[in-house]
Structures are given as structure tokens and as C-alpha cells.
Amino acid sequence: KQFLDIWDVDVLKRPQDINKQAHHTHLYSSDFLIVRRAQEFQIKITFDRPYKPAEDKFAVEFVIGPSPQYSKGTYIPVFPTEERQSVWRGRIVETSDNVITMGITTSPECIVGKYMIYVSVVTPYGIRRTRREPKSDIYILFNPWSPADPVFLDDEEEREECIMNELGIIYHGTYDDVSERAWNYGQFEFGVLDACLFIMDKADMPLSNRGDVIKVTRVASAMLNSRDDDGVLVGNWSGDYTYGVPPTSWTGSVEILLDYAGSRGTPVCYAQCWVYAAVFNTFLRCLGIPGRVVTNFFSAHDNDGNLKMDIILDENGKLDRNRTKDSIWNYHCWNECFMARSDLPPGFGGWQVVDATPQETSDGMFRCGPASVAAVKHGQICYPFDAPFVFAEVNSDVIFYRRQKDGTLEAVKVNQTHVGRMVLTKAVLHDGRRDITDHYKFPEGSPEERRVLEKAEEFGCQREKASVPQSDVEVEIPNLDVRVGDNFDVTLQFKNNSDQRRSADVYITGTVVYYTGVPSAEVLFKTPKVKLEPLQSKDEKVLVRVEDYMHKLVEQANIHFIATGKIKETGQIITAMKVITMHNPKLIVKVTGSPRVSEEMYVSVEFTNPFKFSLENVDLRMEGPGIMPFKRKQYSIIAPGTSITWIETFSPRRAGSTKLIASLDCAALRQVYGETELTIQQ
């Protein structure tokens, strides 16, 4: 037997081995080797005798998919000598007796996914190949640490946040009263990587496209919603979540992704925009694409690219609900992912908007992006993909029209600063906020902003051109800090800037709205008459009683107040809008025990019902990345004024700082959260 025989192949896959440490994949809960492309990893091959480079010929073969072909990049042989090299490079790192260590560097555009590995030897009788060994399969991911990879992000702290951090903060509420919720992305949890690859299988995405980050993010944007392709999540904005989990109840992505993959692709119920964005973020970070969740406050929706949100008033200045069709979402969450855009002119790479919330179709499917943030900022919305839609979400004008008796519409007030008021994402490596509004637009009223809007108009966006006379009376509604269950006053602040008396018939409506701006039920309608002396400022208070709104609230506890009116002396229209977000009670989460790996610890979740009515069918959830898998408990009833305490034990799996996140949910009370931070020692 003169030829070489292979005794063992070791892919060095333990978390402490060189590969997972060098490739930043040591946190994945996986028994397989996981590496990033365009960077060397090592394997050890044991032969039956010392290797003789001059005589012995062997190759390590990588195979992905059902019918591997060299031309498609699904069969790749890697040779140990300089003379023979394929698209991936191989070299002998060291030789010791019968064992060689081989270094393998994959190409920067290779397919992302799970490869089988074989070693084959040339013998006088043909090629002899090792048996299929599932334990030595390897996963290859995108590599933001390698300058050769299109997802390269040249900032170590940003990479630590947007790839390695499992804990997120998602902002919601209103721009002047921002709320936040913690989220467990859990991209390293057991089974999540397979679930993310399964999403591409379910989309029937050709393997040869899976190395292209633009195509991968575009397919994922379509697949994370279930519209038209049985994707991951079913959207529901109705308030009735009988056959699934209310969107406000989720605390992380892991359960959603494992449910979807475990059922071989049955969509999971239910999601709204932040759930889509959070699960999409898990997908991005898990595959090695830098990703973050972004919240746009006052996000214009469904305005056909015409940069106008129309609010229709009757001739007396009263809001006409039936004719007001456009909606402004109090906030909308999408994702940004980081990539070079070789398909666009220089300067449009970097952060790209991708959005999985099904709002509009793009190339026939519900998806959005990747759209270059730099292109949106500069009004260059002719480039793919879906830039006009994103541009309108942050740049539309709100226009109040008065409907005359003959049905014609006259623009009476234009608010150019309401939409896209603020864009937030989580700060890098700490729990603060980061305001990135200036990534999307130039300061309001600046010459650059005017130029950008002109540029967008060249590409087909229309704006309102009518010049609207300034009214000499102003009205504003200041912000309020209100807890659910309290009576409160809404204040209208009037200011007469003229040197003559002014009087107005004012209409103020308060409507419970979903966070998408869609009205649910009217809780207030008052028509105060206001008289103002010359140059006078005056406050008018309107009482909102708990019994008027409590049983009409929907999950985000928002009431949208619109004050409109007509000045008798001049016929001018005055308007003011304000969304008040009611604050829910909080959960108290406490941890006891010694914070060490594998030591038993206790966590308690406490809640007191502050209302005068019982809460029924209450669902509690809790999880913590690296320390505690998802747990759930249900209470059939929590009577007024009574407290509950839920205690669980857990044993942390790994060291580091993390959080335990809890949520409480029932039909009468949504969006109740609590969290606690803890640092686990080795």
C-alpha cells in the first residue's frame, strides 16, 4: 500500500480553539465549526504515515447544496501547494510526524451557508475520498472584520455593537416622550443560525446568490413577513390577537425563529413593525451582516411618493375623518445594515435601509431596500432599491386642506417639520440613545435641505406649492406626562400676535389611535369659544376623564389630540396636533444568588394591578441571553389592588454582562415591561 491513507480530520471547532476565537464565532451555541469568509481557518489532518509533499497529492473539498458544481461555486477543492490553487487558498501551516495543520482562506464573495467537507487523495487506482462525516460540516458567514468582504465595517466598537451584541433597545412612543423596550436578539442561541439559513431555503433562493449581501438582505426583507411567500411573521394591527401572541408580548427573537424553522415554515402570529425589525436584526447579526434597529418618529405612510400627508377640514375648520385617508405613524421601526454598494456610484455605500414590515410592494413583493441612507439624505432617489418610499417616510409635509361647499380643497396650513421629526438608534456599547436624524436629512430650512427637495422633485416626488398665509393667532398643545388610569387636563395655549382682538370657535378632538395613526375610538370632542385681547396669550384647559378613555385604549395607549378652528375676524384656520402616550405600570424584576457560571440563581417578577378593575388572562414572559431560556406563566385573574410574584430559577451558561427581560400582557393592558442588568463571573 504505497499511497497515503487518512486516519482523522479535526476541524478545530471547540469555542477555545484558534478558529472560533480568531473568527469571533466563539459565542455561537453550536457543535459545528463556524468561520467567516476571506479569513484563514485551520484544520488538522492525520495520515497513516508522514506526508511527503513531492509525491503525495491531496485536496480538501468543500461542497454545498444537492448538486455541487465547480462553475457555480458549490464545489471547491483546496490544494496545499502554491502551484495548484483554486478560488480558495490553502497552505501547510505545520507538519508534525503524521499530522499536518492546513490553513484555508475562503474567497470574499463565497456562498454563505453550511458546507460539507471531504479530504481526497490521488492514488494509482483513482481518487480516494473520506466518508461523509456530518460532525465536521462547517458554516461560513459574512465577515465585517475583513476589508475584502463587502460588509467590512472599519470600527471595532461599532462591530462589537452591531454584530456581537445580543441585547437591543427599541425606541417607541412619541418624539417628545420616547419610551424604550429591551429586546433579546439571541443571534448566538442554539438553532438560530440554522433557522436563518432555513429562511433562505424557504425562499428558494439560488445558492449562487447567497454570497451577495444585497440579494441576501432583499430576500430576507420579503421573507420576514408572511405576505405573498409564507414568510416568518404574520402582521396584525387589529387589536384582536386571539389565535397568536400579541406583538407587545414578545421579549426576543429566539422563540419566533425556532418556531418558524421547527414547523418547517409555518408563519408565526403576530408582529408589528418593531417585531419585524427586531427579528430581521437577529437574522443580519447572526449571518455576520452589521445591523441595527432604527426608529423614525412621525413616519409618513402610504403617500404614493407625493411627499404630502393630507388632513381634510370642513369649511368651519372641523376635522373631516371620513375624507382624511393618509396616516402618520407615531413611530416606525426599520433596520439599517452596513455594506459596500458596488452597484451604485461612489459615496452611496455604508448604512442601507431594509424594512420587513409589509407596507408597499417592490418588484411585486412586500419588501423594502436595501436603500442607501446617503442617497436618501441627498435626494438621489433614482437608485435601487425603494429609496423614494424611504425618502417620503422622513420628508413629507403635513397639509391641512379646507373643503369648500362646492367640494374644492384649499390648502390652509402646511407643516414641513412634523414628519421624520427624529430618527433614533441605540448608542454604541451602552444603553443610551443615538440621534441619527442628520444621517437622513439636512437641518430643516437649510439651503442644502431645499436643494435636496428640488433634487427629489426632479425624480418625480411632488410637493405642495401653494403659499399659505400666516395666521396671526397661534395654538399649541404642550406635552403631558400621564399614567394610564388618571384623569388629566389637555391645555390649549393660544397666542394672539396681532394688535386687535381675536375670537375663535375651536374644535378639539381626542381619539384613541393605534401607533400607526389609525383611529380607534373618539374619547373627547369639545368646542370651546376663545376670545383673545391684543397681544394676549391664554391657556384653555379641557378635562379628559378616566371613564371616557380607559375601556377604549388600544395596546400602545396613545391619544391623538387635534385642535382646529377658524378665526372669526380673518377667516384664517389655526391647527395644532399632539399625540399623548399614557405611561403603563412597570414590572419589578429582581435577581438573587451568586452571579457565577453554572450556579443556581433566582429571579422574581412582581406586579401590582393599580386599576379599579380586574385583569384577566394575563400572560407573563421572561428571558435572558446566555443565562436563561424563554419562560412563560399565565394568571387567569389579577384583582384590583392585588400583587403577584413569579419566581424562577436559572443557571447562567456564560460569563459577561447581560439582562433579564420580562413582559406582561393581557387584553386590557398591553406593553408592560421590566428588566434588570446583571454581570456573571466565570
Side-chain angles (χ1 to χ4, degrees), residues 492-509:
L492 304 180
Q493 296 178 335
F494 292 92
K495 188 175 180 195
N496 180 4
N497 295 316
S498 77
D499 49 12
Q500 293 166 343
R501 284 188 179 161
R502 293 283 182 256
S503 56
D505 288 339
V506 178
Y507 300 89
I508 175 159
T509 57

Side-chain angles (χ1 to χ4, degrees), residues 162-464:
C162 295
I163 293 287
M164 304 300 286
N165 193 356
E166 291 179 276
L167 280 164
I169 292 175
I170 297 172
Y171 298 101
H172 58 108
T174 56
Y175 86 98
D176 50 4
D177 183 12
V178 176
S179 306
E180 49 191 62
R181 58 148 57 93
W183 190 274
N184 173 21
Y185 296 127
Q187 67 266 36
F188 305 126
E189 296 291 331
F190 188 78
V192 169
L193 176 53
D194 284 321
C196 293
L197 295 175
F198 170 72
I199 289 170
M200 293 193 279
D201 294 342
K202 189 81 169 78
D204 294 328
M205 185 179 188
L207 281 165
S208 51
N209 289 352
R210 297 190 195 185
D212 182 333
V213 63
I214 297 171
K215 290 178 177 158
V216 167
T217 51
R218 190 147 173 78
V219 163
S221 161
M223 275 304 295
L224 278 154
N225 65 69
S226 65
R227 299 281 292 270
D228 56 37
D229 54 15
D230 280 341
V232 181
L233 281 156
V234 179
N236 183 343
W237 283 265
S238 72
D240 177 7
Y241 310 114
T242 313
Y243 299 108
V245 175
T248 44
S249 198
W250 301 110
T251 47
S253 309
V254 180
E255 188 195 350
I256 294 170
L257 287 165
L258 296 187
D259 272 5
Y260 183 71
S263 65
R264 304 311 291 161
T266 303
V268 178
C269 302
Y270 290 109
Q272 290 173 1
C273 71
W274 70 93
V275 185
Y276 285 118
V279 177
F280 201 167
N281 212 49
T282 302
F283 176 92
L284 294 168
R285 291 186 184 183
C286 185
L287 293 185
I289 303 166
R292 60 192 189 189
V293 174
V294 166
T295 304
N296 176 35
F297 289 93
F298 293 135
S299 194
H301 174 63
D302 193 13
N303 47 5
D304 313 324
N306 73 348
L307 298 195
K308 297 193 298 199
M309 304 298 296
D310 305 336
I311 295 179
I312 316 292
L313 311 175
D314 69 14
E315 67 244 39
N316 297 319
K318 184 183 168 199
L319 181 67
D320 186 340
R321 281 235 177 263
N322 298 329
R323 290 195 167 84
T324 300
K325 292 285 183 263
D326 286 343
S327 68
I328 302 170
W329 294 31
N330 293 342
Y331 64 90
H332 178 45
C333 300
W334 59 66
N335 302 78
E336 286 181 1
C337 52
F338 197 88
M339 64 179 84
R341 287 293 298 265
S342 53
D343 59 326
L344 302 185
F348 293 128
W351 291 108
Q352 312 286 318
V353 171
V354 282
D355 189 349
T357 301
Q359 301 182 86
E360 300 288 317
T361 56
S362 166
D363 298 337
M365 294 183 83
F366 280 96
R367 57 182 161 193
C368 176
S372 162
V373 175
V376 168
K377 179 170 181 173
H378 289 93
Q380 300 281 0
I381 53 175
C382 52
Y383 297 122
F385 295 90
D386 309 312
F389 184 74
V390 179
F391 185 83
E393 286 181 303
V394 293
N395 280 308
S396 295
D397 294 342
V398 179
I399 300 155
F400 291 87
Y401 290 98
R402 177 162 43 185
R403 194 165 180 276
Q404 312 291 21
K405 283 197 171 69
D406 62 0
T408 55
L409 295 177
E410 173 201 5
V412 289
K413 184 167 178 186
V414 178
N415 186 338
Q416 295 177 332
T417 61
H418 185 72
V419 167
R421 184 69 66 92
M422 180 165 72
V423 185
L424 288 185
T425 189
K426 178 185 174 297
V428 174
L429 297 186
H430 67 84
D431 280 358
R433 299 172 193 169
R434 183 169 171 198
D435 187 332
I436 54 169
T437 315
D438 62 335
H439 293 197
Y440 283 85
K441 47 196 200 175
F442 289 100
E444 295 285 356
S446 63
E448 295 92 347
E449 188 215 18
R450 267 203 303 283
R451 269 202 301 279
V452 164
L453 290 163
E454 283 162 15
K455 174 69 69 188
E457 285 176 345
E458 286 171 26
F459 295 124
C461 280
Q462 291 120 31
R463 304 187 77 205
E464 178 56 53

Side-chain angles (χ1 to χ4, degrees), residues 469-490:
Q470 258 328 96
S471 171
D472 52 21
V473 176
E474 294 168 28
V475 59
E476 270 187 23
I477 306 174
N479 202 21
L480 281 174
D481 191 1
V482 186
R483 284 195 321 237
V484 172
D486 289 354
N487 294 331
F488 62 95
D489 284 321
V490 177

Side-chain angles (χ1 to χ4, degrees), residues 613-644:
F613 54 89
S614 295
L615 299 175
E616 293 171 13
N617 301 326
V618 181
D619 193 18
L620 278 110
R621 288 160 178 263
M622 174 165 47
E623 63 183 309
I627 54 172
M628 180 174 158
F630 165 75
K631 300 265 174 90
R632 180 176 178 203
K633 187 168 176 78
Q634 288 177 296
Y635 291 87
S636 54
I637 194 158
I638 305 175
T642 58
S643 300
I644 54 155

Side-chain angles (χ1 to χ4, degrees), residues 494-498 531-538:
F494 292 92
K495 188 175 180 195
N496 180 4
N497 295 316
S498 77
K531 291 192 164 36
L532 296 164
E533 296 298 318
L535 301 173
Q536 183 190 13
S537 296
K538 185 175 185 180

